[in-house]
Amino acid sequence: MNTLMTNRPERVELSGWEYAKSTLDKCLTPADSQNLEWHPATVPGTVASELLRGQSINYDSVLPLDDDDFWYRGKVVLPTDMPGSVQLHLDGLATFAEVWLDDKLVLRTDNMFCAHVLDVSKHVQEAGVEHFLSIRFCGLSPFLAQKHPRAKWRTAFVQHRNLRFVRTSLVGRTPGISPQIPVVGPWRPVYFELRQAPSLSVTRLNAMLVENIGVIDVELSVRGTEGLEAGDRLSLRCGDCTTELTLESTMDEVLIASGRLEIDKPELWWPHTHGAPHTYDIAIDGTVGGRDVSHNHKGIGFRTIEFKDPFAICVNGLEIFCRGACWRPIDFLSMNPDPDEMRRVLDLAVDAGMNMLRITGETAYETDTFYSLCDELGIMVWQDFMFARLDYPVEDENFLSSITIEAAQLLRRLSTHPCLTMLCGNTEVAQTAALLGLDKEKWSNRWFDQSLPSLCQELLPAVPYWRSSPDGGDMPFYTDEGASHYFGVGAYRQELADAVVNAPVFASECLAFGIPRLGSLDKSIDVQAQVSTPADANASWSFGDVTEYYALQRFGSDLTEMKESNIDRYHLLCGIAVGEVMYDVQSQWRRKGIACNGALHIALNDAADGNGWGLLDSRGNPKAPYFFLKRAWKPLALMIVDQGVNGLKLVVHNDRPEEFVGTLKLSFCRLDGVVVHGGELDLTLAARSTLELSAEHVIGHFMDSSYTYRFGARAFDYIIGELAGAQGDLVGETFVLSDESLILPAQKIELEVDVIEQKNGSLHLELLASRFVQSLTLESDGFNVSDNCFHLAPNRPKTIQAIPSRSAGKFQLTARGSNMNNSVVAPASIATRRIQVSG
């Protein structure tokens, strides 16, 4: 929830935060730690973010933190006019931690995912005095070295088998998958809260849609009263609708307020691809104990989520093709991203047509800001609980109690977020057991099968629960049932046909490649560190090898020599090859005739510098495949798919809630831009629908568009499909190159760029080429372009936007195409609007 406490509690931050390193178990109290070497610290944050501040990390980076203790300390002066109670909030401590307020131990915790609220009023009775908070983070090595009950299986995917007993993130603890830098420290906020009496807490707040009626169900507890008094009243208001809450007094003089507000035919929350993500604000106000109290809550939404076999997600009764990626922490070291940066990254996801992000079980639960932004932007969230690949000791009562509190806290925190679409018990627990040959009854346990789904049903009944990702078929990783992780094309080096024949019903992870970032490598530093790639544990290959395999298929053996002679061009072509493969796969999976209901790329963003899985690099900048998937995932999209003897199919998707009226144009062209054949037709496409047409239907006669029959030489080099709106505005464009044109010979091509500065600081770029440019790539430090890595037809102007970032300086554009002799650089000055460059 955005805020659960009411009656205007005053938040008081600590200052002067410091951290220090200590030998294991040497300093056991704050007094023992006084002589340590203390350094300034940022809270929330982690030890790694302090030790590696400003440094570059890659997939080979290692920072062992389990063999030492780390202390944090901060101070606070509370006001002299303190109200009735003082609470200490500790929203997340990683992982074995002891908390001292002045010289008193007030908390021991062993679960980094649990938040703690402590009433410390008695410890800070003297106002105006400086108080010290000290936190000892104990190294995990002694615990991990202890003998523990044997697991049903072992996995090489985590650093230590005994991590199954520890409630900590596997970020930094999965060899080969991420830098070996674990999360240690106060990774979530630590603060005091001064609370007046009466003090209100929202204990339940749910928004539901029941037969076109929006229902808000709320329950509050009111403390610090002398029982129910005449004149006590609370009301719940949403828009023009208001209802009085029922007040009841309990034995311990706590008031319970509850009620239900109904709104007839409310505006619905939709994923942004299919409608507007409408949300409502609510207010609770009234008088208790003669004092006015109020609470405002922003961003509740009304929608229905239904799950259909074999695996489909329906929102408001409509089956949604879910597309997006798995979300990784965008600040890998601190685990606390800047809210503005988080919004920027989520905006990139929206711009790419993503409507779902999945938080996987080896990462961490996200901040409230993340879920609120997803509410606002219309991004569905698939939420895994933080369990991955291990056989967890759920038979241990203390462990079970801890994870029950953890799960309940999360469910209550997320109960008002309409973005929440799927709850999943774990990541790859069932798959890990199955791959080791264990019997089916050992793939799971009573926590994932019974206790956790029951808790979800109790606290969040409107959101479906799925046991594990992947899971559902005879084998958890089979693609024909349930949710699967599809890596046939990608890690397992299958041809594109495998993605069609074995199309996943729902790919909750897919398409893993080591993807180079856009831009040249810095030759002044270690090149190998800049191209490090993830690799599965004990595998003889890396995901960089996978990328090279598909790039060689696309661009031929010359690529191998290029790796030594021109590594920047090699990486550019590798990124383009991966983008083309992903586009081909996703354009097939999105078709109605393919039984695929969703596809989530394995990672939205990289955790470190190098060629990671992410569509964005570690600085949040798009890589080449991002732009290819943006074309495949647009709400209004035109695609051309090769059907062999059935020719080319033009597929038009209109996910939007409005009917599309426009024209569809198809042109068969030579490289010099001459149109050999073509056709055009008027098109009306209903809202939230898809249309498929053959190329011959558009041009009116047989053309051998896929060049399958081969009754003579091919008369064209490429095909361009264009989708225009009713006013003639181009809303969709797609290309198909002939087999002979997969990599065109390099030549000199003139390129004109019109640069027009807009009032908001962005730049309007119009590009015009004298000949066909293959995979034109644009680079401009400090500016993000709206499209990239695209084909540019000759004598057809293309318009894109260049948006400055906070670090933007003078505009300078570098353009390079796969078939251009060399890159070209446009001058930094834009005083002359037209820049004519050639390469």
Side-chain angles (χ1 to χ4, degrees), residues 327-340:
W327 176 266
R328 312 287 175 177
I330 62 174
D331 188 337
F332 177 84
L333 292 181
S334 78
M335 301 293 286
N336 273 276
D338 174 70
D340 291 339

Side-chain angles (χ1 to χ4, degrees), residues 56-107:
S56 175
I57 61 171
N58 58 63
Y59 287 92
D60 300 322
S61 297
V62 177
L63 181 65
L65 297 177
D66 291 336
D67 298 331
D68 298 288
D69 290 346
F70 291 90
W71 281 83
Y72 277 72
R73 66 185 184 188
K75 56 190 177 183
V76 66
V77 176
L78 299 174
T80 56
D81 54 345
M82 286 194 302
S85 66
V86 180
Q87 292 182 340
L88 172 60
H89 288 250
L90 303 143
D91 289 353
L93 305 174
T95 292
F96 290 177
E98 298 172 349
V99 180
W100 303 71
L101 183 53
D102 296 325
D103 59 353
K104 183 173 182 61
L105 179 67
V106 295
L107 176 70

Side-chain angles (χ1 to χ4, degrees), residues 16 53 60 67 126 204 236 270 310 416 424 528 664 672 722 765 815:
R53 188 181 303 277
D60 300 322
D67 298 331
E126 190 175 356
R204 185 180 71 248
L236 169 64
W270 285 93
T416 61
C424 182
Q528 191 56 43
L664 177 62
D672 58 7
E722 297 168 284
L765 308 181

Side-chain angles (χ1 to χ4, degrees), residues 176-205:
I177 302 304
S178 66
Q180 296 306 283
I181 304 174
V183 181
V184 177
W187 71 295
R188 285 290 181 258
V190 176
Y191 59 95
F192 287 91
E193 199 168 64
L194 313 181
R195 300 179 59 78
Q196 301 179 19
S199 171
L200 278 69
S201 298
V202 178
T203 54
R204 185 180 71 248
L205 179 56

Side-chain angles (χ1 to χ4, degrees), residues 16-17 27 54 79 167 179 218 273 292 294 328 462 516 527 551 606 714 733:
W17 278 107
C27 298
R167 293 308 298 143
V218 65
T273 49
D292 293 337
S294 65
R328 312 287 175 177
V527 170
D606 284 347
R714 191 198 302 260
E733 182 181 63

Side-chain angles (χ1 to χ4, degrees), residues 583 631 634 636-640 665 719-724 730-735 787 790-793 796-798:
Y583 177 87
R631 293 168 206 139
K634 290 171 61 177
L636 180 61
L638 169 64
M639 304 174 187
I640 299 178
K665 184 178 181 180
I719 304 167
I720 180 171
E722 297 168 284
L723 191 64
L730 188 66
V731 295
E733 182 181 63
T734 187
F735 287 80
D787 198 6
F790 51 82
H791 301 319
L792 184 61
R796 290 175 183 246
K798 181 179 178 67

